[in-house]
């Protein structure tokens, strides 16, 4: 800790749903555990509904509110705009913010289409030339077990990667009477399981293996095509709320299944589903290489299983590593050995990496170009599904 | 136990590899734990190599040997011919045996092609009219946890089945210098992981769910296309042996990945691989329905995980059931509660069911027609893979 | 959220080690996720070393510092004094604070001896008459899985409790060259594993079962009796630091093993150790009753295993419940279903319960009387160990 | 396999309960998988009830029966007498058999008292001088995971052993209306959980660590002191049967808890219980040393968990080893990698080791002297429990 206080990074957050809460917690907590070169200031919370925005700002500790995101884009006191609103809003806000010289952190998936993502990536590339940077929020990269998995692959502990198995399993749609929300409306969410949680699977696998998904064969499926509309007169969350007697069309996928060929010669299977009865947030990744293997499950996010194929022949097995030691990514700044962290901590780690990059004048990762590449994979899965699961390139 | 000794069932076993050992153990053990209506007699072991066959017969307790399977087909003292030789031999032996009025138990996969399987199923149908029966050895149906999974689905504990996830993971080919065996030669084995272990996944899922795989989209992949030839002068097993300096072509798949639409509306992902570094015999099945879910892993074959979605909302979770109680399939005849059984016991259970069906003059299951249907699925996966993973019907 | 801002609760925190960090996080975070009737204000951080205290205050967000705890006892602006300094300091600070009309939250174990704890409990009883309350920080009561375990027992889901098995396993002393710290010095820490982590086991078991430990038979053991002294010129933490070449006497137990008879007829085994090689923070609790059972491991703190002995006989098994649903204690205020929380969240829950009690003018739990009772159990274990493990009453 | 047939080892088995079935399976199966230097012949099954003995002999494949054990002691054709009858019968049969020059395999615990065990050990020592050998059946030593655990300790993989945690957990007495059997009658069984399953814990820990339990502090407890008597007119097993309306006194312990000091400086906790609701046959062992640790659970008997404290600091963790590889004890003779074995296989391994020792004219282990030493530990636990859990030496 130095005597001199770090310069401020004044933040506006757009959106106050689930993601808004998670991002607010990161702005509040990260500076208390990590020595940051810039001091985030929770300046403005942006939301369309004045009362709800004010309530959220007060609850989460934002200094002021706005009901029009243009205001923060125009506000000279804002340094960073954090976009946590639905995917359909990303492109307009991000492009305007970057043009106004604001750094941008944008929730995933980057956009609702490749076209939008291309616009965003182009705007980000242009802004970067002026030292204004954009980052997309694939937060799970910053779960210590996943970051450490990447490190293990990078240091060659798995040898040549051959097989990947990624499944993001949730079950919150199993009940056929569960209501419609914006997440089930293609015009707002872009896609269903595919973009919401399948995007995480794509990014995490690419991040860990250092390989990209070059072509895919996919199937999107919707089990329940009509659901009760939400009663708009009752308070609701982004994942649910009170149902009315009317029904609306579900226009996104419940399940996305796809197979992929990766750039380094690996092949992989992917699944994203909200119909995996019994699995609440089971984001599972298994990677098999010529020298070793890894297994991870987000329901046990403080653990990584590692198999060293070069161990003595009677001592082969998956080792359950508690990724809670000072030697593990990000952990030295938290609690003593063996004391766990939870879901929200990944958001703090993301902020740490973003702030460090901004202070250094470097491009934070994943960039909008990275987000665009994931968007292309998502679209390729959709096209493959529309085309009878024919192999489809992602380039 | 009755006073009257049951009539004999005189058996000839063709093949003395891994499966020969497993079947021999069943003939030896099952009658000691189950009251069988027919008493199996381990009469004749058949193998081409006289010395090896004699040694195996002595080791396993067969009364005599033959080096030509035609002899046991012609032997009036033989009631049942158990075919445990490579897939390429199945059709000829089975058809001849059935024509000669012998019951047949044939290892899976039923044959190396749909054409062969059709011939076998036709022969079996013909023989059945005369009370001569054929069964295919999908032994895992008789693992108590899998049989019990079937029971749970049948009694409605899962509601409507929606998603299936089946993966049979082995890693014995990860070493690129592992030698060629008949299992890697398409002319003998028919296919690789697909027919060897993928067939188990197909049968088990169909058995548990009561649904058939109606169409598939698949990918077969071979990572290592050349391997050292076996040194024929050195003793070897069906899974390995000593390598020579020459190399042979691997003509089967290392990995099979496929997606399926099931007859009852479910969708499923399937994987069969010998390249899943770290997984020795991990045959995993997960089934998600509208009311519940199941999970199984053959590496922990005495356990079945069951999720009841209708439990109280604060008591939801996967229950780890030790399938070792008298109430569970087959278990009352083994050991007291909590005392485990192993891989080989499924073969005893298969024999019990076969003998009971034969004594009752009924068709044992799975029949050759069932085996043919699995063969059609295997072939559809191959055709889909050849055709760019296009959806392919299995009918 | 109401229009009226809640009244403030102005806090002074004594101590800025590991516990100081955890308590600070609770003051910072809890009000953002829970609607509290009093608004905690992080007023004063107290520590003897001026520079270190100032640095910690700045890092954690305390408004000012003091280097003498008497100052905050005398400060009319302070409402709550949170004592997170070593056990040897508890009695003096707590008694003075209560006498001065400050509420007190005191870390566990309450004191370093029964005598001290008695003084504290008496002071607390006296203060309570005037509406000034004291609480002892057995935080693990507020881990949702443990709170929910208590609920299950209370609603009769386990029937009559018969057996308890509690083990708190750490391994940070396995290395014989690990240095002396105040935690290994009886004059400062009171005891070793026994008071530090065994106290948690005692409190959690009593909390869950609703039974007290009435008599114990115990063994304290120290494997390594001399360790390198810390080099005082180098920065250090409460769990370690840089070693010098001199050695000091370890005067506390490395391991505490004890057996107990509980007030409701149950019997239990307890273990607290810093020598359980490979276990980082494995606080395991198993409870067996006439109708059910529970199992918990802090290394997987978002899970509780529950066994219902009254389930159908073929559906018996331990159910792994993810205690991350809105129906589970404290969870509705955090993240959506399946999203985990970590070690620090228990401190927020503790604060929520404390603030709610203070606002209601009610005694928070566990009280100093509860802390005294645990202290009596700790002392009984020590006396039993000194007396050849003879049974010793705790009353 | 050699050309010459090995000489016969003609066996008489006394007792046809659960253990009789397990031993019969070993005699039947072991010679088929292992090349034994002597060929066991299942000659005579001995039981008091003529009809039951005849039925069991026929079921299990014994050539003839006897209803008086003296007959097999006197039979010159018998080489080995296998004593699987209740503990109260061991001493008389074993002493007579050894005096008659028969090798003896005797189930554990060796006897119902130290006095009986001393007589047996003396008789065995005398017989050994004449090349007649006695072995006690602590079968779990021959579970591959436990044998391998012993090997790991012996090769120094754990360093100096410091802590042991052994718990044998069953729950078949949880139901208070479960009937009396001979196992609950001290005059027949000697003790309850202590001798039945606690003896396994003692032997396994001593076997793995190479240390003996030198002193103990113990507690025996009986929760249910009266149970319905069995209706003698109805068939029953050694673990249960149909209850009558009369009640009998339970004279053995339901639960045994004890702490021990081991000869090499380790300390350990032990538990044996039939009241661990939800645990069917959970024999768990954990060993912590200065360099590593082990964990085992018989409910997953094909797995051993191993922790190497000398692994890189970011790769520490318990490795789940499937003990099913050719490199693991006994496994090369069974199935291919990853194919599991079950409870009964330990009995085959025990027989293999016995026969090899007899053929070599060497003392098999564990000897009656080993069995006597375990008996002394059992008695010390009882004496300690009677004496208020005071520390009691086992010598």
């Amino acid at each position: 800790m130095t005597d001199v206080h770090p310069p401020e990074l004044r933040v506006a957050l757009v959106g106050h749903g689930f993601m808004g809460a998670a991002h607010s917690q990161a702005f509040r907590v990260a500076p208390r555990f990590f020595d940051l070169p810039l001091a985030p200031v929770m300046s403005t919370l942006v939301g369309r509904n004045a009362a709800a925005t004010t309530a959220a700002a007060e609850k989460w500790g934002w200094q002021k509110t706005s009901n029009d995101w243009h205001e923060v884009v125009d506000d000279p006191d804002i340094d960073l705009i954090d976009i946590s609103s639905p995917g359909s809003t990303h492109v307009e806000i991000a492009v305007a913010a970057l043009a106004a010289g604001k750094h941008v952190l944008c929730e995933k998936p980057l956009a609702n289409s490749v076209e939008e993502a291309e616009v965003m990536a182009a705007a980000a590339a242009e802004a970067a030339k002026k030292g204004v940077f954009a980052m997309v929020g694939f937060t799970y990269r910053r779960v210590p077990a996943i970051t450490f998995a990447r490190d293990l692959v990078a240091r060659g502990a798995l040898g040549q990667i051959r097989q990947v198995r990624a499944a993001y399993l949730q079950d919150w749609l199993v009940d056929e009477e569960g209501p419609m929300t914006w997440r089930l409306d293609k015009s707002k969410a872009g896609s269903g399981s595919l973009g919401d949680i399948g995007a995480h699977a794509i990014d995490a696998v690419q991040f860990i293996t250092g390989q990209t998904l070059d072509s895919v064969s996919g199937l999107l499926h919707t089990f329940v095509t009509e659901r009760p509309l939400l009663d708009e007169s009752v308070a609701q969350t982004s994942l649910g709320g009170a149902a009315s007697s009317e029904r609306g069309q579900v226009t996104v996928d419940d399940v996305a299944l796809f197979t992929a060929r990766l750039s380094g010669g690996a092949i992989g299977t992917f699944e994203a589903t909200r119909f995996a009865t019994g699995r609440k947030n089971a984001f599972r990744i298994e990677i098999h290489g010529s020298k070793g293997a890894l297994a991870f499950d987000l329901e046990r996010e403080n653990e990584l299983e590692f198999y060293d194929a070069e161990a003595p022949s009677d001592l082969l097995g998956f080792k359950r590593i508690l990724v809670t030691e000072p030697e593990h990514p990000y952990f030295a700044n938290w609690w003593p050995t063996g004391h766990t962290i939870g879901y929200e901590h990944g958001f703090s780690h993301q902020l740490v990496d973003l702030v460090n990059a901004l202070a250094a004048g470097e491009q934070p990762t994943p960039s909008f170009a990275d987000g665009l590449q994931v968007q292309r994979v998502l679209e390729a899965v959709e096209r493959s599904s529309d085309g009878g699961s024919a192999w489809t390139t992602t380039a």
Side-chain angles (χ1 to χ4, degrees), chain A:
Chain A
M1 189 156 292
T2 57
D3 299 317
V4 184
H5 287 268
E8 292 187 343
L9 179 76
R10 299 183 61 81
V11 183
L13 172 67
V14 184
H16 49 79
F18 167 24
M19 277 303 106
H23 285 237
S24 296
Q25 174 75 339
F27 289 118
R28 182 186 307 118
V29 169
R32 301 305 178 182
F33 287 84
F34 294 82
D35 286 331
L36 298 182
L38 301 172
V41 176
M42 296 172 73
S43 171
T44 313
L45 182 66
V46 183
R48 286 176 304 176
N49 181 305
T53 307
T54 300
E58 191 169 332
K59 182 169 187 189
W60 299 339
W62 292 87
Q63 294 174 349
K64 54 188 174 179
T65 65
S66 165
N67 303 124
D68 179 353
W69 59 262
H70 296 89
E71 289 181 1
V72 293
V73 167
D74 295 337
D75 184 346
D77 279 352
I78 294 296
D79 304 308
L80 169 70
I81 296 185
D82 180 347
I83 307 173
S84 294
S85 45
S88 56
T89 67
H90 290 186
V91 61
E92 198 179 6
I93 305 175
V95 168
L98 289 166
K102 314 297 189 198
H103 304 300
V104 172
L105 170 62
C106 181
E107 257 307 311
K108 45 54 59 184
L110 186 58
N112 278 3
S113 71
V114 165
E115 292 67 29
E116 290 175 357
E118 284 173 337
V119 170
M120 294 171 75
E126 199 59 33
K129 295 176 189 167
K130 303 170 193 158
V132 175
F133 294 108
M135 181 189 193
V136 61
F138 285 113
T139 324
Y140 288 139
R141 288 187 177 203
R142 271 78 186 199
V143 170
I146 290 182
T147 315
F148 185 53
R150 190 266 321 259
D151 294 344
L152 285 172
V153 171
R155 67 163 98 149
L158 271 72
Q160 183 187 351
I161 305 301
R162 284 174 175 150
Q163 281 202 257
V164 167
R165 197 173 302 107
Y168 201 137
L169 310 178
Q170 299 182 337
D171 73 352
W172 55 280
L173 288 183
V174 165
D175 179 1
E176 302 189 6
E177 295 304 308
M180 278 293 297
T181 72
W182 69 263
R183 289 181 183 273
L184 306 185
D185 177 349
K186 190 175 176 66
S187 70
K188 292 194 183 123
S191 68
S193 287
L194 179 62
D196 182 24
I197 50 179
H200 279 304
I202 294 164
D203 183 69
V205 165
Q206 295 189 146
F207 174 68
I208 294 171
T209 63
Q211 299 188 22
T212 51
L213 276 67
D214 282 357
S215 58
V216 295
S217 165
L219 173 68
L220 304 186
H221 190 79
T222 306
F223 284 110
V224 177
T225 54
E226 277 195 346
R227 289 181 176 274
L229 287 170
L230 281 169
D231 184 341
E232 297 289 338
S233 65
V234 176
Q236 52 198 265
T237 69
S238 64
L239 300 181
S244 72
S245 60
E246 287 182 90
R247 291 188 166 254
Q249 285 292 319
V250 173
T251 48
V252 300
D253 54 290
D254 289 332
V255 182
L257 307 176
F258 54 105
T259 306
R261 291 193 177 96
L262 279 74
S263 55
I267 56 174
T269 65
F270 294 77
E271 176 174 3
T273 174
R274 294 157 170 171
F275 266 81
T277 318
R279 303 300 178 190
K280 302 307 172 190
N281 203 31
F283 180 18
R284 301 176 191 165
I285 304 170
E286 286 182 278
I287 315 266
H288 302 282
S290 57
K291 293 186 181 173
L294 290 172
F296 172 76
D297 183 342
L298 186 64
E299 287 186 357
R300 289 175 170 167
E301 75 171 279
N302 291 279
E303 303 178 20
L304 181 69
E305 289 188 88
F306 171 59
Y307 178 90
D308 176 6
E310 299 185 328
S313 60
D314 57 358
L315 290 177
L316 293 168
F318 277 86
K319 186 186 278 186
R320 171 189 171 248
I321 300 169
L322 271 183
V323 194
T324 56
E325 307 305 296
E327 291 82 2
H328 294 128
Y330 306 106
F331 222 91
N333 289 66
W334 296 107
W335 309 110
T337 172
H339 291 69
T340 61
I341 58 173
Y343 167 73
E344 72 202 47
H345 292 73
F347 292 89
S348 280
H349 303 159
Q350 174 175 274
L351 182 60
V352 168
D353 291 343
L354 171 60
V355 169
N356 282 326
L358 294 182
E362 293 172 0
Q363 172 65 48
T365 60
S367 68
F368 276 17
D370 296 325
L372 167 60
Q373 187 268 339
V374 172
Q375 202 74 41
R376 288 193 166 122
V377 177
L378 296 174
E379 197 201 46
V381 172
E382 286 199 82
R383 279 189 287 134
S384 173
S385 180
D386 290 344
S389 298
W391 281 89
T392 303
T393 58
T394 63

